[in-house]
PDB file of all heavy atoms in Angstrom:
ATOM      1  N   ALA A 288       0.754  -1.204   0.027  1.00 97.00           N
ATOM      2  CA  ALA A 288      -0.016  -0.028  -0.029  1.00 97.00           C
ATOM      3  C   ALA A 288       0.872   1.225  -0.026  1.00 97.00           C
ATOM      4  O   ALA A 288       2.029   1.236   0.497  1.00 97.00           O
ATOM      5  CB  ALA A 288      -0.935   0.014   1.223  1.00 97.00           C
ATOM      6  N   ALA A 289       0.337   2.349  -0.570  1.00 97.00           N
ATOM      7  CA  ALA A 289       0.976   3.673  -0.631  1.00 97.00           C
ATOM      8  C   ALA A 289       2.390   3.580  -1.167  1.00 97.00           C
ATOM      9  O   ALA A 289       3.344   4.012  -0.563  1.00 97.00           O
ATOM     10  CB  ALA A 289       1.033   4.300   0.779  1.00 97.00           C
ATOM     11  N   HIS A 290       2.505   2.967  -2.274  1.00 97.00           N
ATOM     12  CA  HIS A 290       3.724   2.747  -3.078  1.00 97.00           C
ATOM     13  C   HIS A 290       3.653   3.402  -4.367  1.00 97.00           C
ATOM     14  O   HIS A 290       2.654   3.742  -4.955  1.00 97.00           O
ATOM     15  CB  HIS A 290       4.128   1.278  -3.218  1.00 97.00           C
ATOM     16  CG  HIS A 290       4.853   0.737  -2.028  1.00 97.00           C
ATOM     17  ND1 HIS A 290       4.441   0.738  -0.782  1.00 97.00           N
ATOM     18  CD2 HIS A 290       6.130   0.105  -2.084  1.00 97.00           C
ATOM     19  CE1 HIS A 290       5.380   0.145   0.042  1.00 97.00           C
ATOM     20  NE2 HIS A 290       6.433  -0.182  -0.753  1.00 97.00           N
ATOM     21  N   SER A 291       4.887   3.700  -4.965  1.00 97.00           N
ATOM     22  CA  SER A 291       4.893   4.184  -6.321  1.00 97.00           C
ATOM     23  C   SER A 291       5.812   3.363  -7.112  1.00 97.00           C
ATOM     24  O   SER A 291       6.743   2.651  -6.599  1.00 97.00           O
ATOM     25  CB  SER A 291       5.556   5.678  -6.398  1.00 97.00           C
ATOM     26  OG  SER A 291       4.622   6.554  -5.675  1.00 97.00           O
ATOM     27  N   MET A 292       5.581   3.316  -8.446  1.00 96.00           N
ATOM     28  CA  MET A 292       6.323   2.458  -9.408  1.00 96.00           C
ATOM     29  C   MET A 292       6.753   3.257 -10.565  1.00 96.00           C
ATOM     30  O   MET A 292       5.971   3.986 -11.168  1.00 96.00           O
ATOM     31  CB  MET A 292       5.509   1.279  -9.774  1.00 96.00           C
ATOM     32  CG  MET A 292       6.126   0.287 -10.696  1.00 96.00           C
ATOM     33  SD  MET A 292       5.020  -1.005 -11.144  1.00 96.00           S
ATOM     34  CE  MET A 292       3.895  -0.116 -12.303  1.00 96.00           C
ATOM     35  N   VAL A 293       7.995   3.111 -10.988  1.00 97.00           N
ATOM     36  CA  VAL A 293       8.507   3.744 -12.198  1.00 97.00           C
ATOM     37  C   VAL A 293       8.752   2.743 -13.242  1.00 97.00           C
ATOM     38  O   VAL A 293       9.338   1.636 -13.013  1.00 97.00           O
ATOM     39  CB  VAL A 293       9.784   4.529 -11.928  1.00 97.00           C
ATOM     40  CG1 VAL A 293      10.308   5.218 -13.105  1.00 97.00           C
ATOM     41  CG2 VAL A 293       9.577   5.541 -10.738  1.00 97.00           C
ATOM     42  N   PHE A 294       8.400   2.965 -14.464  1.00 93.00           N
ATOM     43  CA  PHE A 294       8.792   2.100 -15.624  1.00 93.00           C
ATOM     44  C   PHE A 294       9.186   2.924 -16.749  1.00 93.00           C
ATOM     45  O   PHE A 294       8.759   3.938 -17.000  1.00 93.00           O
ATOM     46  CB  PHE A 294       7.705   1.103 -15.915  1.00 93.00           C
ATOM     47  CG  PHE A 294       6.267   1.741 -16.261  1.00 93.00           C
ATOM     48  CD1 PHE A 294       6.030   1.949 -17.670  1.00 93.00           C
ATOM     49  CD2 PHE A 294       5.411   2.089 -15.310  1.00 93.00           C
ATOM     50  CE1 PHE A 294       4.781   2.492 -17.967  1.00 93.00           C
ATOM     51  CE2 PHE A 294       4.229   2.553 -15.605  1.00 93.00           C
ATOM     52  CZ  PHE A 294       3.856   2.770 -16.939  1.00 93.00           C
ATOM     53  N   ALA A 295      10.126   2.237 -17.525  1.00 93.00           N
ATOM     54  CA  ALA A 295      10.730   2.922 -18.758  1.00 93.00           C
ATOM     55  C   ALA A 295      11.281   1.773 -19.689  1.00 93.00           C
ATOM     56  O   ALA A 295      11.772   0.764 -19.202  1.00 93.00           O
ATOM     57  CB  ALA A 295      11.820   3.893 -18.432  1.00 93.00           C
ATOM     58  N   GLY A 296      11.144   1.971 -20.976  1.00 86.00           N
ATOM     59  CA  GLY A 296      11.723   1.016 -21.892  1.00 86.00           C
ATOM     60  C   GLY A 296      11.142  -0.363 -21.736  1.00 86.00           C
ATOM     61  O   GLY A 296      11.803  -1.309 -21.956  1.00 86.00           O
ATOM     62  N   GLY A 297       9.879  -0.440 -21.333  1.00 81.00           N
ATOM     63  CA  GLY A 297       9.210  -1.751 -21.234  1.00 81.00           C
ATOM     64  C   GLY A 297       9.428  -2.527 -20.034  1.00 81.00           C
ATOM     65  O   GLY A 297       9.046  -3.654 -19.857  1.00 81.00           O
ATOM     66  N   ARG A 298      10.030  -1.958 -18.951  1.00 88.00           N
ATOM     67  CA  ARG A 298      10.355  -2.667 -17.784  1.00 88.00           C
ATOM     68  C   ARG A 298      10.215  -1.809 -16.565  1.00 88.00           C
ATOM     69  O   ARG A 298      10.383  -0.555 -16.593  1.00 88.00           O
ATOM     70  CB  ARG A 298      11.685  -3.317 -17.750  1.00 88.00           C
ATOM     71  CG  ARG A 298      12.883  -2.378 -17.967  1.00 88.00           C
ATOM     72  CD  ARG A 298      14.156  -3.115 -18.038  1.00 88.00           C
ATOM     73  NE  ARG A 298      14.434  -3.853 -16.820  1.00 88.00           N
ATOM     74  CZ  ARG A 298      15.692  -4.278 -16.506  1.00 88.00           C
ATOM     75  NH1 ARG A 298      16.663  -4.063 -17.282  1.00 88.00           N
ATOM     76  NH2 ARG A 298      15.833  -4.915 -15.399  1.00 88.00           N
ATOM     77  N   VAL A 299       9.914  -2.368 -15.370  1.00 93.00           N
ATOM     78  CA  VAL A 299       9.904  -1.668 -14.113  1.00 93.00           C
ATOM     79  C   VAL A 299      11.273  -1.349 -13.682  1.00 93.00           C
ATOM     80  O   VAL A 299      12.139  -2.193 -13.602  1.00 93.00           O
ATOM     81  CB  VAL A 299       9.102  -2.462 -13.050  1.00 93.00           C
ATOM     82  CG1 VAL A 299       9.167  -1.790 -11.706  1.00 93.00           C
ATOM     83  CG2 VAL A 299       7.692  -2.712 -13.469  1.00 93.00           C
ATOM     84  N   THR A 300      11.513  -0.064 -13.349  1.00 95.00           N
ATOM     85  CA  THR A 300      12.874   0.323 -12.968  1.00 95.00           C
ATOM     86  C   THR A 300      13.006   0.723 -11.479  1.00 95.00           C
ATOM     87  O   THR A 300      14.165   0.669 -10.992  1.00 95.00           O
ATOM     88  CB  THR A 300      13.332   1.550 -13.808  1.00 95.00           C
ATOM     89  OG1 THR A 300      12.420   2.602 -13.696  1.00 95.00           O
ATOM     90  CG2 THR A 300      13.446   1.176 -15.321  1.00 95.00           C
ATOM     91  N   GLU A 301      11.900   1.169 -10.929  1.00 95.00           N
ATOM     92  CA  GLU A 301      11.969   1.485  -9.471  1.00 95.00           C
ATOM     93  C   GLU A 301      10.628   1.189  -8.812  1.00 95.00           C
ATOM     94  O   GLU A 301       9.560   1.222  -9.453  1.00 95.00           O
ATOM     95  CB  GLU A 301      12.198   2.947  -9.297  1.00 95.00           C
ATOM     96  CG  GLU A 301      13.645   3.486  -9.707  1.00 95.00           C
ATOM     97  CD  GLU A 301      13.804   4.936  -9.512  1.00 95.00           C
ATOM     98  OE1 GLU A 301      13.956   5.372  -8.310  1.00 95.00           O
ATOM     99  OE2 GLU A 301      13.662   5.722 -10.478  1.00 95.00           O
ATOM    100  N   LEU A 302      10.703   0.835  -7.500  1.00 94.00           N
ATOM    101  CA  LEU A 302       9.602   0.541  -6.734  1.00 94.00           C
ATOM    102  C   LEU A 302       9.850   0.853  -5.312  1.00 94.00           C
ATOM    103  O   LEU A 302      10.858   0.446  -4.788  1.00 94.00           O
ATOM    104  CB  LEU A 302       9.187  -0.926  -6.867  1.00 94.00           C
ATOM    105  CG  LEU A 302       7.982  -1.518  -6.024  1.00 94.00           C
ATOM    106  CD1 LEU A 302       6.756  -0.900  -6.465  1.00 94.00           C
ATOM    107  CD2 LEU A 302       7.952  -3.051  -6.211  1.00 94.00           C
ATOM    108  N   GLY A 303       8.915   1.634  -4.668  1.00 96.00           N
ATOM    109  CA  GLY A 303       9.181   1.991  -3.198  1.00 96.00           C
ATOM    110  C   GLY A 303       8.016   2.701  -2.654  1.00 96.00           C
ATOM    111  O   GLY A 303       7.066   3.094  -3.314  1.00 96.00           O
ATOM    112  N   PRO A 304       8.146   3.109  -1.409  1.00 97.00           N
ATOM    113  CA  PRO A 304       7.102   3.875  -0.673  1.00 97.00           C
ATOM    114  C   PRO A 304       6.882   5.182  -1.389  1.00 97.00           C
ATOM    115  O   PRO A 304       7.725   5.911  -1.889  1.00 97.00           O
ATOM    116  CB  PRO A 304       7.702   4.147   0.641  1.00 97.00           C
ATOM    117  CG  PRO A 304       8.679   3.012   0.919  1.00 97.00           C
ATOM    118  CD  PRO A 304       9.282   2.723  -0.444  1.00 97.00           C
ATOM    119  N   ALA A 305       5.565   5.634  -1.599  1.00 97.00           N
ATOM    120  CA  ALA A 305       5.179   6.703  -2.298  1.00 97.00           C
ATOM    121  C   ALA A 305       5.960   7.963  -1.860  1.00 97.00           C
ATOM    122  O   ALA A 305       6.303   8.880  -2.620  1.00 97.00           O
ATOM    123  CB  ALA A 305       3.684   6.916  -2.241  1.00 97.00           C
ATOM    124  N   ALA A 306       6.075   8.151  -0.546  1.00 97.00           N
ATOM    125  CA  ALA A 306       6.732   9.303   0.037  1.00 97.00           C
ATOM    126  C   ALA A 306       8.088   9.571  -0.568  1.00 97.00           C
ATOM    127  O   ALA A 306       8.581  10.764  -0.654  1.00 97.00           O
ATOM    128  CB  ALA A 306       6.717   9.244   1.568  1.00 97.00           C
ATOM    129  N   ASP A 307       8.791   8.496  -0.894  1.00 96.00           N
ATOM    130  CA  ASP A 307      10.176   8.675  -1.428  1.00 96.00           C
ATOM    131  C   ASP A 307      10.247   9.252  -2.810  1.00 96.00           C
ATOM    132  O   ASP A 307      11.285   9.645  -3.364  1.00 96.00           O
ATOM    133  CB  ASP A 307      10.893   7.268  -1.413  1.00 96.00           C
ATOM    134  CG  ASP A 307      11.030   6.644  -0.069  1.00 96.00           C
ATOM    135  OD1 ASP A 307      10.776   7.373   0.937  1.00 96.00           O
ATOM    136  OD2 ASP A 307      11.396   5.502   0.024  1.00 96.00           O
ATOM    137  N   PHE A 308       9.009   9.345  -3.433  1.00 96.00           N
ATOM    138  CA  PHE A 308       9.021   9.837  -4.837  1.00 96.00           C
ATOM    139  C   PHE A 308       8.433  11.131  -4.955  1.00 96.00           C
ATOM    140  O   PHE A 308       8.416  11.747  -6.140  1.00 96.00           O
ATOM    141  CB  PHE A 308       8.198   8.780  -5.724  1.00 96.00           C
ATOM    142  CG  PHE A 308       8.907   7.484  -5.970  1.00 96.00           C
ATOM    143  CD1 PHE A 308       8.844   6.501  -4.937  1.00 96.00           C
ATOM    144  CD2 PHE A 308       9.590   7.210  -7.053  1.00 96.00           C
ATOM    145  CE1 PHE A 308       9.448   5.263  -5.136  1.00 96.00           C
ATOM    146  CE2 PHE A 308      10.269   5.969  -7.286  1.00 96.00           C
ATOM    147  CZ  PHE A 308      10.163   5.005  -6.227  1.00 96.00           C
ATOM    148  N   GLU A 309       7.825  11.666  -3.934  1.00 95.00           N
ATOM    149  CA  GLU A 309       6.963  12.885  -4.138  1.00 95.00           C
ATOM    150  C   GLU A 309       7.865  14.093  -4.552  1.00 95.00           C
ATOM    151  O   GLU A 309       7.397  14.895  -5.381  1.00 95.00           O
ATOM    152  CB  GLU A 309       6.277  13.230  -2.837  1.00 95.00           C
ATOM    153  CG  GLU A 309       5.071  12.265  -2.546  1.00 95.00           C
ATOM    154  CD  GLU A 309       4.161  12.121  -3.785  1.00 95.00           C
ATOM    155  OE1 GLU A 309       3.424  13.062  -4.088  1.00 95.00           O
ATOM    156  OE2 GLU A 309       4.038  11.075  -4.387  1.00 95.00           O
ATOM    157  N   LYS A 310       8.980  14.259  -4.053  1.00 95.00           N
ATOM    158  CA  LYS A 310       9.779  15.459  -4.399  1.00 95.00           C
ATOM    159  C   LYS A 310      10.172  15.257  -5.819  1.00 95.00           C
ATOM    160  O   LYS A 310      10.193  16.314  -6.555  1.00 95.00           O
ATOM    161  CB  LYS A 310      11.041  15.488  -3.536  1.00 95.00           C
ATOM    162  CG  LYS A 310      11.919  16.705  -3.829  1.00 95.00           C
ATOM    163  CD  LYS A 310      13.054  16.760  -2.785  1.00 95.00           C
ATOM    164  CE  LYS A 310      13.980  18.023  -3.050  1.00 95.00           C
ATOM    165  NZ  LYS A 310      15.067  18.051  -2.158  1.00 95.00           N
ATOM    166  N   ARG A 311      10.544  14.105  -6.352  1.00 95.00           N
ATOM    167  CA  ARG A 311      10.890  13.964  -7.773  1.00 95.00           C
ATOM    168  C   ARG A 311       9.687  14.192  -8.661  1.00 95.00           C
ATOM    169  O   ARG A 311       9.785  14.739  -9.734  1.00 95.00           O
ATOM    170  CB  ARG A 311      11.486  12.535  -7.965  1.00 95.00           C
ATOM    171  CG  ARG A 311      12.758  12.334  -7.218  1.00 95.00           C
ATOM    172  CD  ARG A 311      13.132  10.911  -7.128  1.00 95.00           C
ATOM    173  NE  ARG A 311      13.268  10.285  -8.395  1.00 95.00           N
ATOM    174  CZ  ARG A 311      13.438   8.957  -8.537  1.00 95.00           C
ATOM    175  NH1 ARG A 311      13.350   8.125  -7.491  1.00 95.00           N
ATOM    176  NH2 ARG A 311      13.705   8.448  -9.840  1.00 95.00           N
ATOM    177  N   VAL A 312       8.533  13.852  -8.133  1.00 94.00           N
ATOM    178  CA  VAL A 312       7.228  14.041  -8.920  1.00 94.00           C
ATOM    179  C   VAL A 312       7.051  15.584  -8.990  1.00 94.00           C
ATOM    180  O   VAL A 312       6.723  16.130 -10.116  1.00 94.00           O
ATOM    181  CB  VAL A 312       6.044  13.369  -8.328  1.00 94.00           C
ATOM    182  CG1 VAL A 312       4.790  13.928  -8.924  1.00 94.00           C
ATOM    183  CG2 VAL A 312       6.119  11.911  -8.413  1.00 94.00           C
ATOM    184  N   ALA A 313       7.201  16.325  -7.893  1.00 94.00           N
ATOM    185  CA  ALA A 313       7.032  17.819  -7.920  1.00 94.00           C
ATOM    186  C   ALA A 313       8.022  18.492  -8.806  1.00 94.00           C
ATOM    187  O   ALA A 313       7.606  19.554  -9.357  1.00 94.00           O
ATOM    188  CB  ALA A 313       7.093  18.260  -6.405  1.00 94.00           C
TER     189      ALA A 313
END
């Protein structure tokens, strides 16, 4: 729960708690 996932080039590249990605999203 409350996770984010990054994918590029047809594959998942990152997965972790959503809070760890919020600054990069912003």
Side-chain angles (χ1 to χ4, degrees):
H290 271 59
S291 294
M292 180 183 72
V293 180
F294 56 95
R298 58 182 299 196
V299 175
T300 57
E301 295 181 73
L302 174 66
D307 296 349
F308 291 83
E309 288 307 292
K310 185 175 181 180
R311 295 165 64 190
V312 170

